[in-house]
Amino acid sequence: MRFNTLAIHAGQPPDPAYGAVMTPIYQTSTFAQKRMGEAEYDYARTANPTRTALQQCIAALEGGKHGLAFASGMAAIDAVLRLLQPGDHILASNDVYGGTYRIFKRVYEGYGIHASFVEMGDLDAVRGALQPNTRMVWVETPSNPLLKIADIAALAALLRARSPRPLLVVDNTFASPYLQQPLLLGADAVVHSATKYLGGHSDVVNGLIVLNDDALHERLKFLQNAVGAVPGPFDCFLVLRGIKTLPVRMERHCDNAQRIAHWLTKHPAVARVFYPGLPDHPGHAIARRQMRAFGGMVSFIVKGGAQAARRVVERTRVFTLAESLGGVESLIEVPAAMTHASVADSPLAVDPALIRLSVGIEDSDDLIEDLAQALEAAGA
Ligand SMILES: *Cc1c(COP(=O)(O)O)cnc(C)c1O
């Protein structure tokens, strides 16, 4: 079946108990056993039918074999990092999500697992930055907040030539599987903050992993149960419900973002626009090849520095000043002061005049009028 159909049906046949068309929220911690040890489900940390449906659905959407759901994107990332041992090295994109940078630097370094950062779009730089103990390469494309593009297939080919071969992990949160399917391009694992586009309505925190390898899946499933950072059934239900409209939402996110990005490039108060859908974006050709469209995130640098940026984000009326992204409503923020405050004094620090938009699915005329009045009122 094709993507639009899978988004609605994968992992969700009518419920065997009463034929409910929507996957029920199995709000229970334990399950009755017919005979001792004889039950499909025994304890809800280990497995829950609502979670199973979500896991099967995301696996189908990513073109992968196994899906696993967690209490948050960070819990999913944490599970993947637990595949490593002290002494191992992670090579990561140089503008990873702030929370990912924080868990690398302030959690896993304490256990002897070191991360370094590289321009993931530059294959020579990646080759030069790989170490004999590099066991994992961590990619975000499009990246956050600069929307840089890395070539997933080229990275997979580069890593295939190495022995032992590092695992290629792609955080696919910004693209969603509708726009990009990293496993089909050679990645070993995909992680998601389902809090963003998959949930899509800013009403749930959830994380997902998808992969093909049976042994790695066994280990991660073991960790899911042993560590216990599992999502509740209601949260799984919300993500399943969000996913049903993922394709139609993404189409509108992308159309609106493309239009806004183009409009911003012509605005006199804007110094620079970052959007992979713009023809002069350095990753445009690769994005065109590996993505269905260019996503709903747009960043730009406003003239006048941090003060001007603050004035703009405090004056929008349709765009809400908030962290997070990927919901139906448009959000605006200043990464240096908000989402990326945890990398402020690091080499990953971002321009204080950078503004990030999560372009929602409202009418694009209203969004553009809102940005116009905010840029003007801010004297930008
Ligand atoms: C939000 C986000 C995360 C973390 O996910 P949570 O659900 O907030 O724990 C990881 N990666 C990216 C790219 C994100 O945007």
Side-chain angles (χ1 to χ4, degrees):
M1 279 191 282
R2 295 167 183 82
F3 196 96
N4 294 342
T5 313
L6 292 172
I8 292 165
H9 296 291
Q12 299 155 85
D15 187 62
Y18 297 106
V21 168
M22 287 300 125
T23 306
I25 301 161
Y26 279 95
Q27 192 71 50
T28 183
S29 62
T30 190
F31 300 83
Q33 310 196 0
K34 287 209 173 56
R35 291 196 174 72
M36 236 166 52
E38 215 181 274
E40 199 179 341
Y41 290 91
D42 46 32
Y43 185 61
R45 169 163 33 75
T46 317
N48 173 293
T50 318
R51 196 211 306 171
T52 302
L54 173 58
Q55 294 180 156
Q56 291 178 354
C57 182
I58 190 63
L61 294 188
E62 287 287 0
K65 201 164 160 193
H66 307 292
L68 290 163
F70 292 84
S72 67
M74 289 317 304
I77 289 169
D78 176 73
V80 172
L81 296 179
R82 284 172 196 268
L83 296 171
L84 299 172
Q85 299 295 322
D88 289 352
H89 170 251
I90 308 163
L91 183 62
S93 299
N94 63 5
D95 62 342
V96 283
Y97 174 68
T100 303
Y101 178 81
R102 183 173 55 199
I103 200 173
F104 286 166
K105 283 286 163 194
R106 293 178 53 193
V107 180
Y108 278 87
E109 286 218 351
Y111 301 121
I113 294 164
H114 292 269
S116 64
F117 301 89
V118 71
E119 186 65 48
M120 208 46 87
D122 178 346
L123 292 175
D124 287 331
V126 172
R127 224 174 264 117
L130 286 166
Q131 300 178 11
N133 60 338
T134 304
R135 293 283 177 274
M136 195 171 277
V137 173
W138 194 278
V139 179
E140 282 184 30
T141 180
S143 73
N144 178 18
L146 292 178
L147 290 321
K148 291 188 213 166
I149 301 294
D151 186 337
I152 299 169
L155 285 166
L158 188 159
L159 297 180
R160 222 172 282 128
R162 295 186 59 100
S163 155
R165 185 174 71 80
L167 289 175
L168 178 60
V169 181
V170 177
D171 182 332
N172 206 24
T173 300
F174 267 41
S176 90
Y178 181 67
L179 299 182
Q180 167 177 286
Q181 293 165 304
L183 297 179
L184 305 184
L185 298 168
D188 297 292
V190 167
V191 299
H192 277 287
S193 170
T195 313
K196 316 295 169 53
Y197 286 106
L198 292 170
H201 296 74
S202 306
D203 55 9
V204 62
V205 173
N206 186 265
L208 300 166
I209 302 173
V210 186
L211 73 172
N212 286 317
D213 187 88
D214 294 336
L216 278 183
H217 170 246
E218 274 311 309
R219 177 68 187 162
L220 286 167
K221 199 170 93 172
F222 168 82
L223 287 166
Q224 183 191 39
N225 181 51
V227 179
V230 294
F234 183 60
D235 288 358
C236 294
F237 167 85
L238 285 174
V239 179
L240 280 168
R241 185 159 96 150
I243 286 173
K244 287 178 196 293
T245 56
L246 177 70
V248 288
R249 284 187 286 109
M250 289 315 291
E251 289 290 340
R252 177 73 74 84
H253 282 298
C254 294
D255 288 350
N256 284 359
Q258 183 80 39
R259 188 162 170 233
I260 287 169
H262 184 70
W263 178 81
L264 284 169
T265 59
K266 297 195 179 139
H267 198 287
V270 173
R272 203 169 155 199
V273 183
F274 303 87
Y275 185 65
L278 295 174
D280 63 350
H281 184 285
H284 180 68
I286 295 163
R288 188 171 273 289
R289 201 164 61 233
Q290 77 184 5
M291 299 174 77
R292 190 199 293 258
F294 303 102
M297 301 300 294
V298 178
S299 294
F300 63 100
I301 294 176
V302 69
K303 290 179 187 166
Q307 259 74 50
R310 170 187 282 264
R311 286 198 301 270
V312 171
V313 302
E314 289 180 349
R315 274 169 177 78
T316 53
R317 298 174 193 140
V318 183
F319 280 86
T320 302
L321 176 57
E323 301 196 3
S324 198
L325 60 114
V328 291
E329 66 293 313
S330 292
L331 304 180
I332 190 165
E333 65 125 359
V334 177
M338 297 170 65
T339 49
H340 288 62
S342 60
V343 297
D345 299 317
S346 80
L348 278 70
V350 290
D351 190 321
L354 186 80
I355 293 176
R356 190 186 79 177
L357 306 176
S358 173
V359 178
I361 65 172
E362 301 96 334
D363 193 302
S364 60
D365 286 339
D366 290 329
L367 297 178
I368 285 176
E369 281 172 24
D370 190 35
L371 290 172
Q373 67 79 24
L375 282 163
E376 193 179 348

